């Protein structure tokens, strides 16, 4: 072996290098506050990397970030892993004690905090890791006043030259860590190395070019997945890999988001269904119909209700579904057109594109019997198990939970689904949300989908409630668009049952009308809260 | 570490799996002889893989292939590496002795041979590796008659079930090997592991989606780079990664190729400039103007002469340049629109897209002083050095030559170029083709480009001839389109010199008119033969 051969590592700095060399003039925009070109961004990131090293950050040390979707966060996505330290994207929607718990569990040595979160950190001082240093910043670049001893973030960038030397980071080094609780349970840590993040970014970039999204380097992305949430689905990395303009909305304010989309020419976004719902029902929405017409959207995190998808389509939005977990980096499948459907009629294509999608390049998905592990036939419900180059290796410091995740060389998602004749995945339930009635499963997502088709229904969620006779029976929580009676909904569902679209025995026993859905920290509908509500009513 | 975690390997079988699951109905077409869907192709490849194992092929053993661009070759691209053995793509344009030499050097244990090459192999029996087994096939699927003991290729597919078990191939295992001589010298072996081939395929797929090619999964590829030549630029793998229909032309017959392009709806090809020239000047070409209008082409292997590029553009062909070497898998850069040029005028964009291009994702290119290794400024000529995840690690069994290839962690290409203000690479010369006159370099490619702009010039190549006074002076070999005098060309060049487009002292001392260019085994113009011609004239 020749010693001067360069063993190329798939590290995150390569994405920054590749993007900023090929698309030097492409912009990164933070609200109406700051703009960068990829070239100036790369320079700024390298200054920060150097600054972090100067204050003593070492390889393997973890740095928590507490922030909205800002240009500062975007810097941290690159600068922290680039020097071999680890980006901990702290879930700011957790209660304070849980935030402290994740920071302790991750053993963060540093915390980078936006000024408005400083009071929170000051309050939690006593339950944070001993010796942890705080780096703070404000949008105005003025030094943040605090009772704590803090380092100024902007100073790290402005008083340092760009890091040019090679850092010898290995592609198998830990790059990111964050905590996920799903909709129930204690937070579990998942972590990813550089290689996984790079391969995920390149595969997500590649699949974006396929119809119906057909994204190119001329698209403009504004991602509405919080940056603390599963790498914002990888898009801060995809942006530089795909060479697209990237717009950061800061703290989500839906009226402002609509005006920013208009002003910056946004053509593509990704989000959970709730956010799409909130944007489309925003009072300002009617003024942005021209923006919707050019807009392409990927929906993930929860199933895309057919009713919402149709509403979006009517507005001219190209909307597709997608699927993934915190444990899977996250993207596994999206609703691109595969060869089985591309020449079929528009309705068939539409119904396929709003499913959980088909596997993206390099992902292997099987639907198996949860008991035996045997692969299910087309159309039969089973558990989704996966292989991909970017799945978490373990729950951090939790070998017990890891055992349930990785069985027989496949990651077990705990989601129930079937694969249709065209190769698209239809999620019918999270295993833990499943409703078992008279010994048989009622697929709550299919039922929700059916109810969402009623013109007077705005949002719906179905949960199981205890029943003496059947074990469990479904209850439907509905946010109505306008006045609607239980009887109207029931008649509507009976009609769908007559048409063979649902089973008659799935029709919920109870319909509960509420004014808005309780949400989890990642804006998914919180079924745990709904289930609790059925106990007390 | 949990033992049931699956350490995903970037192996070639993953491309086959991903492509055939996402695009099961997409076609692979071999002339008018056989068609496959990706699904049936994957099944057939897995049968072959099983068949090869049954006859005793072992991990690490090399299998040479002697064939045109056929469906059989396409099988071999996948089945051979899938079981951990190594695909040796034998250069069939070499003289027989050299073919035998490369087979001996690679230590091939098996040879897969198309019937029409069998007489060659029978003749060379005495100089082949002892004990090497021959597998032969004919298009008609009839058993090939031979004086040698041969195994029937089709039998291996038809009498075996698809291989389903996991083969435990590692991504760092050798997958392919082939020999390259450049335009001079002894063949050197270069080899690539699975990981390199997978990463190359995904990056080439990704860059194809960028303007001006803007390829999608609905494009139809027919690659006119022989499959023995640097993985046919990676396209047999890219096809399944990108999910595109793939048309194989067999032995190149330009009239037939035009009709096949028409019949199969070909929209994209890649080739060396000579092939584009031969297609456009084919007597049948005028009947296929409608095909050219939808056609997108990447030109590599040699610089794309501006005259040829303009001719192609007039016909409605979208043509871009590209750059790479046998040692680099091969693609390093292509003429996509980066952010610096995409909003500029059409002519600027066109002139950028027909250069050697800009780096594709994950490739790092520097132009350095060959003596000091220091990076050159924009516009200054130096040697191209590169890093990418898919470069050969060494010349096979040749540590001496490897030393010159890898210096200081960068692969040295031996090509002289400059980077323009927009980030595009302009190759001015191969180091070994450089003409040094009065102590200064005359960039032969720039000079060839200038001469190619003359309306009566069809093809041109400039070489250095010995000169007592200047050391070397340029001589131009020209294939004329119609009668043209030396004086006409000289006046044309003087005008370009007046306009500052070339230097006056570059104008060749001699113009030699010939009826066709001598070509190398990979259809590049053979400057070595031209140089020899100047000695004898």
């Amino acid at each position: 072996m020749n010693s001067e051969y360069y063993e190329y590592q798939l590290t995150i700095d390569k994405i920054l290098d590749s993007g900023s060399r090929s698309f030097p003039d492409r912009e990164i925009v933070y609200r109406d506050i700051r703009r960068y070109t990829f070239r100036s961004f790369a320079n700024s990131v390298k200054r920060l990397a150097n600054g972090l090293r100067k204050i003593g950050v070492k390889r393997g040390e973890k740095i928590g970030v507490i922030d909205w979707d800002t240009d500062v966060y975007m810097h941290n996505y690159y600068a922290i892993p680039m020097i071999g330290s680890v980006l901990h994207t702290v879930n700011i929607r957790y209660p304070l004690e849980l935030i402290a718990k994740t920071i302790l569990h991750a053993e963060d040595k540093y915390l980078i905090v936006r000024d408005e979160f400083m009071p929170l950190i000051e309050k939690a001082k006593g339950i944070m890791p001993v010796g942890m240093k705080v780096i703070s910043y404000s949008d105005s670049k003025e030094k943040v006043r605090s009772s704590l001893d803090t380092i100024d973030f902007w100073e790290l960038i402005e008083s340092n030259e760009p890091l040019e030397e090679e850092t010898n980071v290995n592609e198998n080094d830990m790059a990111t860590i964050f905590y996920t609780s799903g909709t129930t349970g204690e937070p579990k840590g998942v972590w990813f190395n550089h290689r996984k993040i790079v391969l995920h970014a390149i595969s997500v970039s590649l699949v974006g070019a396929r119809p119906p999204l057909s994204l190119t380097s001329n698209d403009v992305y504004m991602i509405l997945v919080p940056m603390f949430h599963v790498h914002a689905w990888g898009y801060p990395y995809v942006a530089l890999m795909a060479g697209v303009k990237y717009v950061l909305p800061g703290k989500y304010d839906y009226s402002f988001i609509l005006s920013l989309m208009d002003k910056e020419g946004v053509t593509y976004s990704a989000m959970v269904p709730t956010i799409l719902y909130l944007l489309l029902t925003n009072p300002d929405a009617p003024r942005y119909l021209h923006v919707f017409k050019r807009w392409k959207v990927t929906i993930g995190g929860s199933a895309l209700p057919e009713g919402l998808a149709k509403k979006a389509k009517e507005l001219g939005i190209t909307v597709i579904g997608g699927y993934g977990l915190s444990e899977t980096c996250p993207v596994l499948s999206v609703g691109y057109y595969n060869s089985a459907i591309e020449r079929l009629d528009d309705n068939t294509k539409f119904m396929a594109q709003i499913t959980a999608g088909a596997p993206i390049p390099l992902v292997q998905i099987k639907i198996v019997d949860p008991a035996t592990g045997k692969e299910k036939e087309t159309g039969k419900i089973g558990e989704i198990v996966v292989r991909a180059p970017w799945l978490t290796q373990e729950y951090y410091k939790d070998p017990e939970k890891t055992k349930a995740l990785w069985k027989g060389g496949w990651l077990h998602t705990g989601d129930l689904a079937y694969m249709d004749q065209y190769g698209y995945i239809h999620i019918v339930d999270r295993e833990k949300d499943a409703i078992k009635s008279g010994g048989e499963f009622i697929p709550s997502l299919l039922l929700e989908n059916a109810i969402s088709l009623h013109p007077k229904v705005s949002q719906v969620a179905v949960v199981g409630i205890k029943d003496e006779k059947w074990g469990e029976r479904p209850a439907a929580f509905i946010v109505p668009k306008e006045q609607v009676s239980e009887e109207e909904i029931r008649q509507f569902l009976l009609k769908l049952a007559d048409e063979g679209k649902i089973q008659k025995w799935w029709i919920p026993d109870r319909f509960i009308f509420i004014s808005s859905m309780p949400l989890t920290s990642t804006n998914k509908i919180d079924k745990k809260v709904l289930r609790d509500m059925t106990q007390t009513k």
Side-chain angles (χ1 to χ4, degrees), chain A:
Chain A
M1 183 87 42
N2 188 288
S3 67
E4 300 199 300
Y5 169 65
Y6 177 73
E7 184 89 47
Y8 189 106
Q9 297 293 307
L10 296 172
T11 47
I12 286 172
D13 58 303
K14 303 300 191 345
I15 303 178
L16 187 73
D17 180 85
S18 208
S20 61
R21 282 177 192 266
S22 294
F23 297 93
D25 312 315
R26 194 69 82 216
E27 284 184 303
I28 293 170
V29 179
Y30 167 49
R31 295 176 71 100
D32 45 5
I33 296 172
R34 265 182 299 277
R35 312 179 80 88
Y36 304 78
T37 62
F38 281 8
R39 196 201 310 259
S40 72
F41 175 69
N43 182 286
S44 188
V45 164
K46 287 181 191 167
R47 286 172 187 273
L48 174 59
N50 218 0
L52 291 170
R53 294 234 288 199
K54 289 261 176 74
I55 60 167
V57 175
K58 287 184 190 53
R59 202 164 157 174
E61 287 185 341
K62 297 183 194 73
I63 304 183
V65 177
I66 297 194
D67 202 351
W68 306 118
D69 294 2
T70 67
D71 57 337
V72 167
Y73 221 141
M74 191 82 176
H75 277 77
N76 292 327
Y77 260 70
Y78 287 91
I80 293 173
M82 260 177 68
I83 57 169
S85 50
V86 182
L87 169 70
H88 172 194
T89 54
V90 178
N91 187 334
I92 54 182
R93 302 271 181 156
Y94 277 158
L96 183 55
E97 268 194 35
L98 215 48
I99 289 181
K101 205 166 172 177
T102 61
I103 288 172
L104 277 166
H105 190 268
E107 301 165 77
D108 291 340
K109 295 279 186 198
Y110 298 84
L111 209 56
I112 299 180
V113 185
R114 183 179 170 87
D115 54 0
E116 65 198 276
F117 295 101
M118 278 303 292
L120 203 73
I121 301 310
E122 286 162 1
K123 202 171 139 195
K125 196 172 62 172
I127 50 172
M128 290 290 186
V130 176
M132 184 184 72
K133 296 201 178 91
V134 176
I135 300 164
S136 64
Y137 88 95
S138 65
D139 268 351
S140 68
K141 296 202 176 182
E142 273 171 46
K143 180 135 178 54
V144 180
R145 284 157 182 254
S146 166
S147 62
L148 300 177
D149 207 18
T150 66
I151 298 161
D152 183 51
F153 177 87
W154 295 114
E155 178 83 12
L156 292 180
I157 292 180
E158 282 154 18
S159 68
N160 284 291
E161 288 301 302
L163 181 74
E164 292 300 349
E165 65 192 285
E166 291 179 35
T167 55
N168 297 318
V169 176
N170 186 282
E171 66 181 34
N172 296 313
D173 288 350
M174 189 186 291
T176 64
I177 186 168
F178 56 87
Y179 288 79
T180 172
S181 46
T183 44
T184 52
E186 279 285 280
K188 295 164 281 186
V190 292
W191 64 272
F192 300 91
N193 62 29
H194 284 257
R195 166 185 161 115
K196 291 179 188 191
I197 286 169
V198 171
L199 293 173
H200 179 263
I202 199 165
S203 184
V204 170
S205 301
L206 181 58
V207 82
R210 294 182 181 163
L213 293 189
S214 306
L215 300 173
T216 77
S217 50
N218 291 318
D219 274 284
V220 178
Y221 288 20
M222 180 162 68
I223 301 308
L224 295 168
V225 179
M227 292 179 83
F228 68 76
H229 184 54
V230 213
H231 311 124
W233 298 357
Y235 285 104
Y237 301 120
V238 169
L240 275 94
M241 187 68 90
V244 296
K245 176 173 167 181
Y246 198 72
V247 183
L248 293 148
K251 185 177 177 180
Y252 294 0
D253 162 343
Y254 300 103
S255 293
F256 179 78
I257 283 173
L258 287 167
S259 74
L260 191 61
M261 282 172 62
D262 191 10
K263 186 177 156 217
E264 298 295 344
V266 169
T267 61
Y268 176 70
S269 301
M271 66 198 78
V272 295
T274 315
I275 303 281
L276 180 61
Y277 170 78
L278 292 173
L279 281 168
L280 298 189
T281 56
N282 185 282
D284 292 346
R287 291 203 280 124
Y288 295 100
L289 298 180
H290 59 290
V291 175
F292 295 146
K293 282 203 175 62
R294 66 166 185 242
W295 204 28
K296 293 161 274 190
V297 172
T298 301
I299 295 291
S302 312
L304 170 58
E306 195 179 328
L308 181 61
K310 287 193 164 153
K311 168 76 181 154
K313 192 186 176 189
E314 277 162 26
L315 292 168
I317 303 169
T318 305
V319 62
I320 68 168
Y323 171 69
L325 314 177
S326 297
E327 290 83 349
T328 64
C329 198
V331 187
L332 295 172
S333 60
V334 300
Y336 65 87
Y337 294 164
N338 67 16
S339 67
I341 65 150
E342 65 190 356
R343 285 185 191 85
L344 301 181
D345 63 285
D346 284 352
N347 189 52
T348 305
K349 285 197 282 198
F350 181 74
M351 293 310 290
Q353 83 194 48
I354 67 171
T355 64
I360 71 170
L362 302 180
V363 172
Q364 302 179 305
I365 293 187
K366 286 200 302 190
I367 310 284
V368 302
D369 186 305
T372 65
K374 242 192 77 183
E375 196 160 359
K376 289 277 190 179
E377 295 161 55
T378 299
K380 300 291 183 199
I381 293 171
E383 186 185 6
I384 301 178
V385 300
V386 296
R387 284 178 171 176
W390 48 79
L391 310 182
T392 193
Q393 176 168 333
E394 58 175 3
Y395 290 117
Y396 187 55
K397 302 195 284 194
D398 194 341
E400 265 319 299
K401 290 216 175 76
T402 302
K403 261 186 206 161
L405 185 69
W406 279 105
K407 287 182 286 194
W410 290 84
L411 185 145
H412 285 246
T413 65
D415 288 323
L416 299 178
Y418 67 91
M419 185 88 77
D420 71 20
Q421 58 181 315
Y422 306 119
Y424 290 82
I425 297 152
H426 297 248
I427 312 275
V428 299
D429 236 323
R430 304 268 158 178
E431 249 185 340
K432 61 181 169 296
D433 288 335
I435 303 166
K436 208 158 190 182
S437 191
E440 290 216 57
F441 282 119
I442 296 177
S444 61
L445 297 187
L446 296 188
L447 187 51
E448 287 167 3
N449 212 32
I451 300 172
S452 81
L453 293 174
H454 192 285
K456 292 181 183 169
V457 170
S458 189
Q459 282 184 290
V460 58
V462 171
V463 300
I465 51 174
K466 290 217 167 65
D467 184 277
E468 285 201 7
K469 184 170 176 193
W470 301 105
E472 278 187 318
R473 284 296 302 156
F477 286 82
I478 291 174
V479 178
K481 225 177 254 169
E482 55 187 272
Q483 188 68 33
V484 60
S485 71
E486 183 168 329
E487 196 45 34
E488 276 178 86
I489 307 277
R490 201 184 305 276
Q491 287 305 323
F492 179 76
L493 293 177
L494 280 167
K495 196 165 152 279
L496 290 181
D498 277 351
E499 292 166 8
K501 294 196 173 133
I502 58 169
Q503 302 274 22
K504 199 168 167 186
W505 62 276
W506 295 357
I507 297 175
D509 288 8
R510 285 175 62 186
F511 292 87
I512 303 155
F513 296 92
I514 54 179
S515 58
S516 70
M517 288 288 173
L519 299 179
T520 67
S521 66
T522 53
N523 288 315
K524 299 177 191 178
I525 293 172
D526 195 334
K527 289 201 172 179
K528 195 167 166 292
V529 171
L530 294 178
R531 269 189 291 266
D532 289 348
M533 283 166 71
T534 64
Q535 310 288 307
T536 55
K537 282 209 174 181

